Amino acid sequence: MSGSAPQRSVHIATFGCQMNAYDSQRISGLLAGLGYVEVDQPQGADLIVLNTCSVRERAEQKVYSYVGALKRLKEARPGMLIGVGGCVAQQEGDRLLKQIPHLDFVFGTSALERLPELVAEAQQGRRRALTETAPAALALAPAARPGLKALVTVMRGCDNFCAYCVVPYVRGREQSRPAAELLAEAESLAAGGVREITLLGQNVNSYQDPEGALDFAGLLRRLARVEGLWRLRFTTSHPKDLSPALIETLASEPKVMEQLHLPAQAGSDRVLKAMGRGYTRRQYLELVRRLREAAPGVALGGDVIVGFPGESEEDFLETLSLLSEVRYDFLYSFKYSDRPFTRAARMAGKLAGSVKAERLSRLQALQRDISLALHRGLEGQTAEVLVEGPDKKGRGLMGGRCRVGRMVNFPGGPELVGRLVKVRIEQGRENSLLGSLAPALGSEAS
Ligand code: 5AD
Ligand code: SF4
């Protein structure tokens, strides 16, 4: 940017998954190249970019109401530009420009790299939507904002076409980034002070180096050798592609955290089949058993959908019993919603909203009990915590995540930020743990 050019500001509103969080970093980096400085609030920004999610109906509605609310802001500030990117942009394209007159440009997930072009055109008053299907360039370095933790996308897209899911349509087919490039990125992040990297992919465990023989387990082992990097996590893993080599790596590589997000989606074979998930309840439970055998402290995360078309009360009870059997450490649960292009949207047997809501609240009540019991069971154990900073609730505590990803808060000073400390767990709560610094090693809660 030339010294005389006025500095402009951009607010980036991110919805949805970590993949979008990563893309927002890239958006920020691209716009920084145009002289835009990122700001936390939409008020007063010269440009507002929404990075959107369409995975569930509610996520999509949020986007429309957010853009709607920006109309006033734009009226008060006529030169302001508004752009929509991400999955809703990919799905709706030009329609968004037609429906929303105060929108200036639209860029789908596959057109992210062309954002500077769109912004320049919008500044000239040209409204455009780009959603070409050319594979998204994956190689862009993330924005230069390294903190303690960073996200790195290793693969994108999905070939699975689960019956309910819009992802393959808005993110395209699976595409892995070259391992050499990922190693270089991890090395530069670690050199910049990053200590923990979370590897992202819609099916991260089907990663395959396009230029070599490394599979995902191999990639993890290579990344674990990067100097200065302490912790590796990854998400999301598909149960049908969980290899023995990955289980072994998770169990034996100290830098790979003992945490696995392994969505089951449902507990009944009938529903799993209709969803097209590629495994049975028994096979899923067998995987969980093998994982826990290899890595006893492993924390398991899951996603479940209630109210899939045709789900009977018996099917739903099987999902509840799956939760009781697995005892997930982290669970994300959703009411089924119809998504464009998907097979499930055309299926018979749709359930009433009230039935889905009632099932979801029963399921969440069960999970709350499980989480609380699991967390209480950790009291008295010691956890290794990477200290991130003061706790969000302003209780004067420090906070950080333990190896398996739980938030742990404890009294301590800012000098601890960026360090690995041992914390004795004093109290297990539903969503976090309270503890105190432990000078000596105790039994590991991880
Ligand atoms: N309805 C409800 N939940 C869905 N998910 C994906 N598609 C749908 C849908 N149509 C959930 C799945 C997935 C998570 C990211 O969102 O559980 O794992
Ligand atoms: Fe969607 Fe299934 Fe692909 Fe996951 S595996 S992104 S749920 S289609």
Side-chain angles (χ1 to χ4, degrees), residues 115-246:
L115 179 61
E117 188 187 323
L118 281 172
V119 172
E121 289 182 4
Q123 284 167 347
Q124 307 300 319
R126 180 150 180 234
R127 299 174 79 224
R128 268 181 87 192
L130 281 179
T131 52
E132 85 266 42
T133 45
L138 293 168
L140 236 208
R145 284 200 298 191
L148 213 49
K149 304 199 292 183
L151 304 170
V152 171
T153 295
V154 303
M155 59 83 67
R156 278 171 187 275
C158 181
D159 295 346
N160 290 323
F161 292 90
C162 299
Y164 50 82
C165 187
V166 77
V167 165
Y169 305 95
V170 291
R171 288 283 184 180
R173 291 303 79 71
E174 285 177 11
Q175 194 192 352
S176 295
R177 290 177 61 189
E181 192 182 291
L182 293 169
L183 276 165
E185 188 168 327
E187 278 161 7
S188 108
L189 286 168
V194 168
R195 298 290 165 253
E196 176 175 317
I197 289 181
T198 300
L199 306 174
L200 301 178
Q202 256 92 29
N203 288 294
V204 77
N205 54 330
S206 34
Y207 174 84
Q208 185 61 54
D209 184 6
E211 294 172 355
L214 279 188
D215 62 4
F216 187 60
L219 177 71
L220 276 173
R221 288 191 182 273
R222 290 296 300 280
L223 288 169
R225 282 193 241 142
V226 172
E227 212 178 311
L229 198 61
W230 298 343
R231 293 177 151 195
L232 285 163
R233 303 184 193 277
F234 52 96
T235 193
T236 290
S237 303
H238 195 301
K240 77 176 171 45
D241 301 319
L242 188 71
S243 67
L246 182 54

Side-chain angles (χ1 to χ4, degrees), residues 17 53-57 162-167 236 261 263-265 275 277 302-306 308 332-340 342 344-345 356:
C17 66
C53 171
S54 69
V55 76
R56 290 172 297 277
E57 198 177 1
C162 299
Y164 50 82
C165 187
V166 77
V167 165
T236 290
H261 189 64
Q265 308 294 0
M275 287 177 163
R277 290 289 293 174
D303 291 351
V304 287
I305 297 176
V306 302
F308 186 79
Y332 300 93
S333 47
F334 311 103
K335 286 185 280 189
Y336 168 80
S337 60
D338 279 341
R339 301 284 65 213
T342 61
K356 290 190 272 190

Side-chain angles (χ1 to χ4, degrees), residues 386-417:
L386 177 58
V387 186
E388 291 172 30
D391 80 308
K392 299 243 160 51
K393 291 185 188 150
R395 291 172 293 186
L397 302 172
M398 297 305 281
R401 305 243 166 219
C402 66
R403 289 183 65 87
V404 306
R406 291 191 186 92
M407 181 49 82
V408 182
N409 294 113
F410 58 95
E415 72 284 356
L416 296 175
V417 172

Side-chain angles (χ1 to χ4, degrees), residues 77-94:
R77 207 180 147 77
M80 184 181 121
L81 297 175
I82 304 174
V84 171
C87 295
V88 177
Q90 186 70 34
Q91 182 184 300
E92 300 296 318
D94 231 11

